[in-house]
Amino acid sequence: MSKEKISGNQVFWLISTMQIGMTILLTINPTIAIAKQDAWISILLSTLFSTGLAYVLTRISLMYPGESLITYAPKILGKILGHIVILLYVVYWIIVLAIILRQYGDFMIGTILQLTPVIVPIIGMLIIAAYVSFAGIEVLARCSEVLGPLILLGIMVPLLLNISQIQVNNLLPVLADNSLSVLVQGALPTASFLGDNILLMMVLPFLAHPRDGMKGAVIGSVVAGLFTMLSAMQCIAIFSHSTASRQSYPFLNLVRFVSFGFLQNLDAIVIAIWIMGIFIKISLYLFAASYGSAQWFGIKRWRIVIFIAAPIALVLSMLPRNFVDSSILFPKLVAVPFNLPVLFILLPLLLWIVGSIRNRKMKKKGRQQPKAS
């Protein structure tokens, strides 16, 4: 359906920039509320999970080079179960796209557009994302290459400027107040966001050199996780875990805390950089939902599906009543109990294990076939 190609370096920027913004924005608070001063350890566990998921997805891609979930799922699991798996992921892409749009809208009206109806920033972002998705994965990958360094810099600078404010005692004691089960529970909110690299199922088929994808995907996942961990550590070290756990956006308050000579009031700049990351994420989800649906239904002109998926996502984004529904209840009731164990763990492992067994049998069968005389 498409001859577009991207590089392993572009995969790195797509994954890191897609994950880092909203993960830092929305998961630090619930993780600190659960794991307290050990929240950084929980986020480290989430990073290990995300890195493992990236590895599994790239291994599946190497077994079926140039193919996406839509084509290899029926080959691995059979037609009936394969199409059920595809349906689950297509529904997931659409619903999560709508939730991300609503989280973005709630964030905007809660910070800089207080008197603006929530649908206004949502429509604006959706139009831009639809335009880039329509242009294709190559254009989206190039956007991530340009915006990615700015996004990482926008997060790194406040962390560096606040080093002098760190109170190490706020990070103590380490592993004294929490059991392993508490740390794992604290890792769940972040893992449900870092699990977004499940989109590699739809990105890796476009690699010009499939073996380059593993490095970009794994390192991108590690970078996103480590930046989130460092941000959480600094929020705890400066505000203490009890204060940070009561803040909706602890990192935004951390940015507002910066006072370094003439460098003050950096929150507007950081918000603009966050919007760039959210833009990459929304565009990638819209691309996956549109391209995947078109490939599933055999629609050759896949870009037409964007004009169906985008309005559906817009309508669904209006269903949550407020910030609590989109950013607290949805992760708690849907993302953590279903998306994480089923879509991010069970199904990828099932595809990898069954696919590996099938591949091994096919290779063995090929070696045993007698050569034609």
Side-chain angles (χ1 to χ4, degrees), residues 109-125:
I109 65 173
T111 53
I112 59 176
L113 301 174
Q114 287 91 345
L115 302 180
T116 304
V118 70
I119 195 171
V120 174
I122 289 176
I123 290 177
M125 176 60 77

Side-chain angles (χ1 to χ4, degrees), residues 20 49 55-56 58 62 132 144 150 172 216 221 282 284 304 318 338 350 364:
I20 198 168
F49 158 74
Y55 175 80
V56 168
T58 52
L62 288 174
V132 173
S144 69
L150 296 176
L172 303 175
S221 301
I282 290 173
L284 195 52
I304 295 175
M318 292 295 103
F338 179 76
L350 183 64
K364 186 177 180 180

